[in-house]
Every structure is written in C-alpha cells, then in structure tokens.
Amino acid sequence: HMMIVNRTPTLPERGKIKIGQHGAVRQGKSGPYRLPEKLDHFVVTTMEKDGNDNYKPDLVLMQLIAERTGQEPGHLTRIPVRLLYNPPELNFASRYAAFAGKTVWCTGNGENALRLGREGAFVPCQCPCPNLAADYRPTDASPKCKIAGMLNVLIDGATGVGGVWKFRTTSFNSVDGITASLMFLSGVTGGQLANIPLELVMGPKQVSDTQGKPQTVYVVGLTYRGTVEELRDTGYRAALDQAQAGQRIVNIETEARRLLDAPPTQVFAGEEPADVADEFNPSPEAGAETHKEVPMHGSGTDAGGGAPISVTEDAPPALAKA
C-alpha cells in the first residue's frame, strides 16, 4: 500500500463558482456587518481573496468563457462544463447540515443523522427534524438545519489539468434543479454523464413564499445544448471512449464512492467544515422582511470564507438588492 491510510483526500479545488458576494457595510448593534449580495449571474473565482473577503474573480477565465459562449464576461449565466463521473451522486453530493459557528453540529441524509452531544461525541438522531422547518427560530444550543449541495465540474477551455471548480449551495431549489438535471441527462444517455459537454446555467423561477406571495428566485441547473437525439449520440460516443479505459474507470468511481462516507465532523468527505459553513451563516431567508446581519468578524459568520452564495439565492431580487 503506497499511500497513507485513514486519510480522506478530496479533489483539488482550482476555483469557485458563485452567485453572491459580501455586500455593503452597515452598522449594527453588535458592530459593523455586511449584507449578503445576491447576483443574477455566475462569478468564477480564483482561490485568492480581496480586501473585502470576497474571492477574486478569475477575469481571464471569465473572458474565455464569454468568448466561447457569446456572453458578456461580467454577466455569465451559462458556463460550459464537463462532469468527472457517471453516477450522479459522485458529481453532486448533498446532505442536511447544521453548524454551531464553524463546527458541524449535526449532519444527516434525510433518514439518519449524527448530532454533537453534550460530551463532545456524536449521537444518532432523527432526520429530518424540526430544525429544518422554514419558520424554525435557531438558538445557540440548537442551530437551524439547511440542505447543502456541492457540485464538482471541469470548465471547458480552461488551461491546465489537475483540479475542479466547485459550486456550493444551500438552496433547495438549486439542489432539486441540479439533481433533476443529472437524473434526466443520465436517463437519456443510458447512464453516461462523464465527459459530455454540458452547461451550468442559472435562471429565474417563480415560486411562492411562506405567505403564499409570488416571488422570483434564481435556480441553478445543468443542460445539454442540443436535441435529445444528439445527447443520446454524444453519450454513446463518450461511453465507447470510456469503455476503452476499462478497469481504470471502475477503480476511479469506486474510490470516489468511498469518499462519500464523511466523518461526522465534516459534511462532505475531505472538505473543510468552514467552506460549507460559509454558505450557511447567517443570511436573509426567502420572504424575510429584514436582512439578518453578517458580522465582519467572529465565529459563526462567513467573514472568513467568501460570499454566501445560496441562502440569498432563494431571496427575491428586490430583497437581495435592498
């Protein structure tokens, strides 16, 4: 055995795909804070941060995407991507999770969950639980639970090989949208998803808030720009290419599936809890009357890790830009 055992490697992250960022600085009761700012387009970032704690946009790559797709580099709503694996769950992992600051307090799969107990050990609990309800009011001892999704993609045309771009979300709409996209595409191709030219897209969707009032949210999904027949043929050719790789592909997917089993201190295997927590704490919820504060310093905030992309994702545009 030529590798250290009991380690959980993860795919190297070359950059992030975001649809939000830290917004304007306001003065609150506990000090200055930033409003999460919703964007109606994608921003592809590097792994470096600027002075406002936002990840720096990858201007070169966004310009390349714009030229390939006929879009404005500052307003990308389509990104050409490819997936690494055929099984949908290997490309897009999703869990329920709750955080106490940057620490995982509870994580589950909709049937079983592990929750941090008083003695510091994780104990089984029901999943889902009342903490997931839209009107649940979190406390320090019992934080709110949200859905967490993480999509790994290769961006077509990007130079260099050896890493992926990650889109993280806590939006039920986008988790459902991406999951449904993967299942539909897989059904058309007979199970082939790896190396098919797809697009990560975002667009408006009309939904109802908790009071039944209509509002617009932005939902992310995956599409194939062509006919069903063309997708079927593309999948067939990709499957033939993959078949020539034989056992190598089976081994790669077996290893990827092993990494789905994250310890309770993580939401996704190999991921820093802070990277996931940054999408959780705190932000305006859909239909909320006022913004919640995102403090600029201190634990339990996303001040340490970039823009809260997806909790504002389900906020109506007028609210997000207020």
Side-chain angles (χ1 to χ4, degrees):
H1 195 96
M2 299 301 292
M3 295 181 71
I4 297 174
V5 297
N6 298 325
R7 295 291 296 166
T8 308
T10 186
L11 294 169
E13 188 171 1
R14 294 185 61 185
K16 302 176 185 293
I17 300 174
K18 289 187 165 290
I19 58 172
Q21 61 188 8
H22 288 311
V25 176
R26 301 288 178 85
Q27 189 66 34
K29 295 178 181 178
S30 57
Y33 66 95
R34 290 194 182 101
L35 294 175
E37 180 183 354
K38 170 70 183 66
L39 303 175
D40 61 358
H41 57 275
F42 292 116
V43 174
V44 182
T45 78
T46 67
M47 295 300 291
E48 296 181 79
K49 288 184 181 178
D50 61 20
N52 292 321
D53 237 7
N54 287 316
Y55 284 94
K56 293 182 179 179
D58 191 332
L59 301 178
V60 174
L61 181 53
M62 288 199 293
Q63 179 65 39
L64 177 66
I65 294 171
E67 292 173 356
R68 289 172 64 96
T69 58
Q71 302 179 85
E72 291 295 326
H75 201 275
L76 300 176
T77 57
R78 297 182 285 118
I79 300 176
V81 299
R82 294 182 191 247
L83 303 175
L84 284 77
Y85 307 110
N86 286 330
E89 68 273 14
L90 299 186
N91 297 299
F92 183 56
S94 58
R95 300 277 292 174
Y96 290 121
F99 284 85
K102 299 288 186 180
T103 301
V104 177
W105 181 75
C106 188
T107 178
N109 62 5
E111 293 181 350
N112 307 300
L114 290 173
R115 179 170 296 174
L116 189 61
R118 292 181 179 179
E119 304 300 322
F122 282 85
V123 295
C125 65
Q126 74 177 81
C127 184
C129 75
N131 295 37
L132 185 64
D135 58 354
Y136 176 74
R137 298 300 179 187
T139 66
D140 290 341
S142 187
K144 181 170 174 55
C145 177
K146 296 180 183 179
I147 200 165
M150 182 178 68
L151 179 70
N152 297 309
V153 298
L154 302 173
I155 294 182
D156 260 8
T159 56
V161 179
V164 296
W165 284 261
K166 297 190 178 187
F167 172 72
R168 296 179 177 89
T169 180
T170 57
S171 161
F172 275 98
N173 283 304
S174 284
V175 168
D176 289 346
I178 293 172
T179 301
S181 299
L182 290 171
M183 299 304 293
F184 174 77
L185 294 167
S186 180
V188 172
T189 64
Q192 183 70 32
L193 289 174
N195 207 34
I196 290 179
L198 302 172
E199 283 192 336
L200 187 68
V201 298
M202 71 174 298
K205 176 184 177 181
Q206 293 294 319
V207 299
S208 298
D209 64 13
T210 53
Q211 285 78 41
K213 298 178 181 178
Q215 64 177 6
T216 300
V217 298
Y218 287 90
V219 180
V220 175
L222 287 159
T223 64
Y224 175 79
R225 288 178 67 83
T227 65
V228 170
E229 292 74 20
E230 289 169 340
L231 174 58
R232 192 176 293 120
D233 291 343
T234 302
Y236 177 71
R237 290 194 301 271
L240 286 179
D241 292 341
Q242 204 168 67
Q244 295 176 357
Q247 189 62 34
R248 285 183 299 159
I249 299 299
V250 175
N251 292 343
I252 289 170
E253 291 190 352
T254 299
E255 179 65 10
R257 194 173 295 283
R258 184 184 70 82
L259 296 181
L260 288 178
D261 297 325
T265 54
Q266 298 176 332
V267 179
F268 302 120
E271 288 287 298
E272 289 294 329
D275 284 338
V276 185
D278 286 337
E279 312 302 336
F280 274 62
N281 299 313
S283 64
E285 299 294 338
E289 294 301 322
T290 59
H291 287 285
K292 294 182 182 178
E293 299 178 3
V294 180
M296 297 176 66
H297 302 286
S299 63
T301 78
D302 62 4
I309 49 176
S310 39
V311 263
T312 51
E313 191 174 318
D314 278 346
L319 173 73
K321 296 177 182 178

